[in-house]
Amino acid sequence: CMPQTREHLTLLELLGVSHGFVVLTKADLVDDETLELAEMEILEETAGSFLQNAPVVRFSSVDKRGLEEVREALGKLSIESPSKDIKSPFRMWIDQTRSTPGFGTVVTGTVFSGSVSLENAVKILPAEIKTRVRSIEVHHHKTERAVAGQRAGINLHRISVNDAARGMLLADNGRPSSAPFINSALSLLPKAFRAVTNRQVVRIHAGTAMAAARVFLMEKDILKPGETGLVQFRMNAPFPAVPGERFVICPLGKHSILGGGRILETTREKFRIAKAHFVLPYLQNLQMDNLPGALEKMLSNQRRRPLSIWEISDRTGILPEEVDRKT
């Protein structure tokens, strides 16, 4: 699959992957000269990507060569990689649901952010069904708390197995809430088979959720392969994804990824060209992670009523304490 390596790396970058290393497998089947040629090809393919200058480990599952090097590289990578977000509100994408006799409904997934403890109040999005945590298991061991990055099974109080399903989000009871409109930075893959046009309907995938959405381009009428632009996804129903979430899009009726990006803001306001001179500078600041600039633009645009710190945090994904500091 070497001819598609560049496209795969671009897609991983769109999903927020920034660290890694390369394992050159089946090293026992060829001589050293062939392995050196393969390494040179790998270095050429990864140049300019997040894997540029990353270690290339020769590995064989037959004679175990490279096994210790792989372990060392994994250990180093775990130290260099950003730590999981345990300060944000709790979120866990549901990927499995089951009903256990004597216990009720158990949902499983990987905790995406924050933490959850026994008896915490939580809700299922987008249905907005409120419940509480009866018990927690992490890797088949009972525990009182699960944190971001851990695989967890959570037993929910008085919830039917029909109330929760793959693609739903288990979240902190206070925040966040689902919204019908999603403002995002969308990048198309350089080799995407087609452009994205204004008002085109696509499938958006975020976490374990998938839904149809109509794309409204904010800066141009067409987004070509390799280009990045600000867009608003208009959903048929509230979607559980929140700011900061990574996503990919596919055309309807075709199993091919067109591109992806990052959700900048969830909102209940439709994007209008008449308001572009207010909205675009604000979203551009969010896109560049310029939090002071984004907050300044948001507050200057909000003239009808004041916004609470929690409302700003819900819309932008910025932690409440960070909002308080920047304002």
Side-chain angles (χ1 to χ4, degrees), residues 19 72-83:
H19 295 75
E72 290 177 7
L74 285 172
K76 184 178 180 182
L77 194 63
S78 66
I79 296 173
E80 294 176 349
S81 299
S83 58

Side-chain angles (χ1 to χ4, degrees), residues 17-23 50-55 57 68-84:
V17 179
S18 58
H19 295 75
F21 64 96
V22 181
V23 178
F50 71 95
L51 287 179
Q52 181 172 317
N53 300 323
V57 180
E68 287 304 316
E69 288 83 351
V70 169
R71 288 172 174 167
E72 290 177 7
L74 285 172
K76 184 178 180 182
L77 194 63
S78 66
I79 296 173
E80 294 176 349
S81 299
S83 58
K84 297 295 183 180

Side-chain angles (χ1 to χ4, degrees), residues 96-263:
Q96 291 182 22
T97 306
R98 67 181 186 275
S99 181
T100 304
F103 289 92
T105 298
V106 176
V107 296
T108 59
T110 300
V111 181
F112 187 85
S113 66
S115 64
V116 64
S117 301
L118 294 178
E119 300 302 323
N120 275 179
V122 292
K123 62 183 176 182
I124 300 171
L125 298 173
E128 298 283 350
I129 299 174
K130 296 183 178 181
T131 180
R132 62 179 173 83
V133 177
R134 291 179 59 185
S135 64
I136 304 171
E137 283 191 5
V138 173
H139 299 296
H140 305 291
H141 290 88
K142 286 191 175 182
T143 181
E144 295 185 354
R145 183 170 181 253
V147 300
Q150 290 183 327
R151 181 81 182 163
I154 299 177
N155 181 211
L156 300 175
H157 179 67
R158 293 185 181 276
I159 291 294
S160 164
V161 71
N162 296 321
D163 293 330
R166 178 182 173 85
M168 293 184 176
L169 183 71
L170 188 66
D172 177 83
N173 193 36
R175 288 159 296 276
S177 296
S178 302
F181 309 129
I182 299 173
N183 295 333
S184 308
L186 171 63
S187 299
L188 295 193
L189 294 172
K191 293 186 178 180
F193 78 97
R194 62 161 295 174
V196 170
T197 55
N198 200 28
R199 298 176 181 268
Q200 179 180 338
V201 179
V202 299
R203 293 199 320 271
I204 179 171
H205 298 257
T208 57
M210 182 277 290
R214 191 174 296 276
V215 182
F216 282 78
L217 302 176
M218 297 184 178
E219 300 168 298
K220 54 184 74 176
D221 292 327
I222 185 170
L223 196 63
K224 298 178 181 179
E227 292 184 340
T228 297
L230 295 172
V231 305
Q232 182 173 87
F233 294 107
R234 295 186 185 174
M235 323 300 295
N236 293 329
F239 193 65
V242 298
E245 193 84 55
R246 296 281 176 167
F247 66 89
V248 297
I249 63 167
C250 303
L252 292 181
K254 190 175 179 67
H255 296 290
S256 177
I257 295 175
L258 289 175
R262 178 166 61 103
I263 294 173

Side-chain angles (χ1 to χ4, degrees), residues 83-96:
S83 58
K84 297 295 183 180
D85 181 9
I86 63 173
K87 295 183 179 180
S88 294
F90 164 70
R91 286 189 295 147
M92 185 186 82
W93 286 102
I94 298 173
D95 56 37
Q96 291 182 22

